[in-house]
Amino acid sequence: MVGILCIYPAIDVHAEQVIREEGIGSQLTDTTEDRTNIREPGETDDADELKELNIANTVTITYDNGNGELNGALRILITLTLIALAPMLILLMTSFTRIIIVMHFTRNALNTQTAPPNQVIIGLALFLTFFIMTPTINTIRTEALVPFDAGQIDQAEALQRAVKPLRDFMYPQTQMKDVRMFLDIAQIEWTEEDGVDAIPSSVLIPSFIVSELRTAFIIGFLIYVPFIVIDMVVASALMSMGMMMLPPTTISMPFKILLFVLADGWNLVIGNVVRTFY
């Protein structure tokens, strides 16, 4: 809360003084047509007329060329709501899901248990997600946030413009059979000639999530294959030497790490996972 209040932009308020032709004694801001006092002071004869006068308010303030903005408390409430929803958006509507699952499969294939630790894997996945989603974030900022802050569009149009870049990112990564599955469940008719704009977001988002899970598991299986071969070779060697009580994973883990280092595994895994989004 303190951080939000600290970064809340300051508002500059400027007042202009326009001198009427009658003289200095009657000075109002803006134009005489926009003056805020209804009648001149001293024109009332009784208390009822006095209530109708606005003799003290003689200053007109124009903010942002007349375009109003959200109240400060309401802006903070919306910001806190977005912060609460941000983890779900990052996890499910970006490249984070695929990356974190592939990293998990890689660690399990190496059989290193907690190396790298969960904090490192999550941090790496977040930075890679930011790298992949940077063009989408820039598009959202340019087409939605900047016009909304300038008062050029309302909230509904800003939300619509912000969702469109995310839809454009999700659609190429979504397999058509997943889209058709959710369309059939929702009993929505759609053909490829209708285009991506005809697919509701309530259908596109779960379709994208299912497709990401499928793709991540396929990549994880491919990562597992060479390490399974090492386990089988080590297990066969131990069996032939009669060392059946020695766990094969204890002997195979150093060979897995050696193979991973010699093949520059992190470069291959991370580089190819990032390239799947381009």
Side-chain angles (χ1 to χ4, degrees), residues 18 21 23 67 75 113 145 153 169 171-172 176 198 200 208 239 255 260 265 270:
V18 178
E21 296 179 357
N67 297 320
R75 182 185 289 268
Q113 302 301 326
L145 294 181
I153 57 177
F169 168 79
Y171 182 73
M176 190 55 59
F208 170 75
M239 289 288 291
F255 292 98
F260 196 74
I270 295 176

Short mmCIF file of all heavy atoms in Angstrom, two decimals, residues 18 21 23 67 75 113 145 153 169 171-172 176 198 200 208 239 255 260 265 270:
data_model
loop_
_atom_site.label_atom_id
_atom_site.label_comp_id
_atom_site.label_asym_id
_atom_site.label_seq_id
_atom_site.Cartn_x
_atom_site.Cartn_y
_atom_site.Cartn_z
N VAL A 18 -8.14 36.08 -15.87
CA VAL A 18 -8.61 36.86 -17.02
C VAL A 18 -9.25 38.13 -16.48
O VAL A 18 -10.18 38.07 -15.66
CB VAL A 18 -9.63 36.07 -17.86
CG1 VAL A 18 -10.12 36.92 -19.01
CG2 VAL A 18 -8.98 34.80 -18.36
N GLU A 21 -13.24 43.54 -19.04
CA GLU A 21 -13.12 44.90 -19.55
C GLU A 21 -13.59 45.92 -18.52
O GLU A 21 -13.19 47.07 -18.55
CB GLU A 21 -13.94 45.04 -20.83
CG GLU A 21 -13.43 44.16 -21.96
CD GLU A 21 -14.29 44.32 -23.20
OE1 GLU A 21 -15.28 45.08 -23.11
OE2 GLU A 21 -13.95 43.70 -24.22
N GLY A 23 -12.81 46.17 -15.47
CA GLY A 23 -11.78 46.64 -14.56
C GLY A 23 -11.19 45.54 -13.74
O GLY A 23 -11.53 44.39 -13.86
N ASN A 67 -10.99 16.55 -19.09
CA ASN A 67 -11.22 15.11 -19.03
C ASN A 67 -10.96 14.61 -17.62
O ASN A 67 -9.84 14.69 -17.12
CB ASN A 67 -10.29 14.37 -20.01
CG ASN A 67 -10.57 14.77 -21.43
OD1 ASN A 67 -11.72 14.93 -21.81
ND2 ASN A 67 -9.52 14.93 -22.22
N ARG A 75 -8.78 4.24 -7.83
CA ARG A 75 -7.59 3.80 -8.57
C ARG A 75 -6.77 2.81 -7.73
O ARG A 75 -6.27 1.80 -8.24
CB ARG A 75 -6.73 5.01 -8.96
CG ARG A 75 -5.51 4.67 -9.77
CD ARG A 75 -4.67 5.91 -9.99
NE ARG A 75 -5.32 6.80 -10.91
CZ ARG A 75 -5.11 6.80 -12.22
NH1 ARG A 75 -4.27 5.93 -12.75
NH2 ARG A 75 -5.74 7.66 -13.00
N GLN A 113 17.41 -33.67 -7.40
CA GLN A 113 16.49 -33.35 -6.29
C GLN A 113 16.20 -31.85 -6.19
O GLN A 113 15.24 -31.37 -6.76
CB GLN A 113 17.05 -33.90 -4.98
CG GLN A 113 17.31 -35.40 -4.99
CD GLN A 113 16.06 -36.22 -5.26
OE1 GLN A 113 14.98 -35.83 -4.85
NE2 GLN A 113 16.21 -37.33 -5.97
N LEU A 145 -2.94 1.41 -22.24
CA LEU A 145 -2.66 2.18 -21.03
C LEU A 145 -2.42 3.66 -21.31
O LEU A 145 -2.99 4.52 -20.63
CB LEU A 145 -1.45 1.59 -20.31
CG LEU A 145 -1.64 0.18 -19.74
CD1 LEU A 145 -0.38 -0.28 -19.03
CD2 LEU A 145 -2.83 0.14 -18.79
N ILE A 153 -9.65 7.29 -24.29
CA ILE A 153 -10.58 6.16 -24.35
C ILE A 153 -11.11 5.90 -22.95
O ILE A 153 -10.51 6.32 -21.95
CB ILE A 153 -9.91 4.88 -24.91
CG1 ILE A 153 -8.69 4.50 -24.06
CG2 ILE A 153 -9.50 5.08 -26.36
CD1 ILE A 153 -8.01 3.22 -24.49
N PHE A 169 -1.30 -13.35 -28.86
CA PHE A 169 -0.19 -14.19 -28.43
C PHE A 169 -0.65 -15.63 -28.19
O PHE A 169 0.06 -16.59 -28.55
CB PHE A 169 0.41 -13.63 -27.13
CG PHE A 169 1.35 -14.58 -26.45
CD1 PHE A 169 2.65 -14.74 -26.90
CD2 PHE A 169 0.94 -15.32 -25.35
CE1 PHE A 169 3.53 -15.62 -26.27
CE2 PHE A 169 1.80 -16.20 -24.71
CZ PHE A 169 3.09 -16.34 -25.17
N TYR A 171 -3.36 -17.34 -29.41
CA TYR A 171 -3.96 -18.10 -30.50
C TYR A 171 -2.94 -18.93 -31.29
O TYR A 171 -3.18 -20.11 -31.56
CB TYR A 171 -4.72 -17.16 -31.43
CG TYR A 171 -5.42 -17.87 -32.56
CD1 TYR A 171 -6.56 -18.64 -32.33
CD2 TYR A 171 -4.94 -17.78 -33.86
CE1 TYR A 171 -7.20 -19.30 -33.37
CE2 TYR A 171 -5.57 -18.44 -34.91
CZ TYR A 171 -6.70 -19.19 -34.65
OH TYR A 171 -7.33 -19.85 -35.68
N PRO A 172 -1.77 -18.37 -31.69
CA PRO A 172 -0.81 -19.22 -32.43
C PRO A 172 -0.25 -20.38 -31.60
O PRO A 172 0.19 -21.38 -32.18
CB PRO A 172 0.31 -18.23 -32.82
CG PRO A 172 -0.32 -16.89 -32.74
CD PRO A 172 -1.30 -16.98 -31.63
N MET A 176 -5.70 -26.42 -32.48
CA MET A 176 -7.07 -26.26 -32.93
C MET A 176 -8.00 -27.29 -32.30
O MET A 176 -9.18 -27.00 -32.04
CB MET A 176 -7.13 -26.34 -34.46
CG MET A 176 -8.48 -25.96 -35.05
SD MET A 176 -9.01 -24.30 -34.52
CE MET A 176 -7.65 -23.31 -35.12
N ALA A 198 -13.65 -14.15 -33.51
CA ALA A 198 -14.95 -14.77 -33.23
C ALA A 198 -14.88 -15.80 -32.11
O ALA A 198 -15.92 -16.28 -31.66
CB ALA A 198 -15.50 -15.42 -34.50
N PRO A 200 -14.59 -16.67 -28.36
CA PRO A 200 -14.70 -15.98 -27.07
C PRO A 200 -13.45 -16.22 -26.21
O PRO A 200 -12.81 -17.27 -26.31
CB PRO A 200 -15.96 -16.60 -26.44
CG PRO A 200 -16.68 -17.26 -27.55
CD PRO A 200 -15.64 -17.67 -28.55
N PHE A 208 -5.81 -22.52 -24.59
CA PHE A 208 -4.38 -22.19 -24.55
C PHE A 208 -3.69 -22.92 -23.39
O PHE A 208 -2.58 -23.43 -23.54
CB PHE A 208 -4.21 -20.67 -24.39
CG PHE A 208 -2.81 -20.23 -24.09
CD1 PHE A 208 -1.84 -20.21 -25.08
CD2 PHE A 208 -2.46 -19.83 -22.81
CE1 PHE A 208 -0.54 -19.81 -24.80
CE2 PHE A 208 -1.18 -19.42 -22.52
CZ PHE A 208 -0.22 -19.41 -23.51
N MET A 239 24.10 -54.82 -12.75
CA MET A 239 23.56 -56.17 -12.72
C MET A 239 24.61 -57.19 -13.17
O MET A 239 24.73 -58.29 -12.62
CB MET A 239 22.31 -56.25 -13.59
CG MET A 239 21.10 -55.53 -13.03
SD MET A 239 20.37 -56.38 -11.62
CE MET A 239 19.71 -57.82 -12.44
N PHE A 255 27.16 -39.21 -14.16
CA PHE A 255 27.25 -39.31 -15.61
C PHE A 255 26.21 -38.41 -16.29
O PHE A 255 26.48 -37.82 -17.35
CB PHE A 255 27.08 -40.76 -16.05
CG PHE A 255 28.21 -41.66 -15.65
CD1 PHE A 255 28.10 -42.46 -14.52
CD2 PHE A 255 29.38 -41.69 -16.38
CE1 PHE A 255 29.15 -43.29 -14.13
CE2 PHE A 255 30.43 -42.52 -16.01
CZ PHE A 255 30.32 -43.32 -14.88
N PHE A 260 25.20 -33.54 -19.34
CA PHE A 260 24.46 -32.27 -19.43
C PHE A 260 25.41 -31.09 -19.57
O PHE A 260 25.15 -30.15 -20.34
CB PHE A 260 23.58 -32.11 -18.18
CG PHE A 260 22.52 -31.07 -18.32
CD1 PHE A 260 21.39 -31.30 -19.09
CD2 PHE A 260 22.63 -29.86 -17.65
CE1 PHE A 260 20.40 -30.34 -19.20
CE2 PHE A 260 21.64 -28.90 -17.76
CZ PHE A 260 20.52 -29.14 -18.53
N GLY A 265 23.75 -28.19 -21.69
CA GLY A 265 22.33 -28.49 -21.60
C GLY A 265 21.44 -27.31 -21.33
O GLY A 265 20.36 -27.18 -21.92
N ILE A 270 16.91 -24.09 -22.51
CA ILE A 270 16.29 -22.76 -22.42
C ILE A 270 16.15 -22.14 -23.80
O ILE A 270 15.11 -21.55 -24.13
CB ILE A 270 17.13 -21.86 -21.49
CG1 ILE A 270 17.08 -22.41 -20.06
CG2 ILE A 270 16.62 -20.43 -21.52
CD1 ILE A 270 17.95 -21.65 -19.08
#
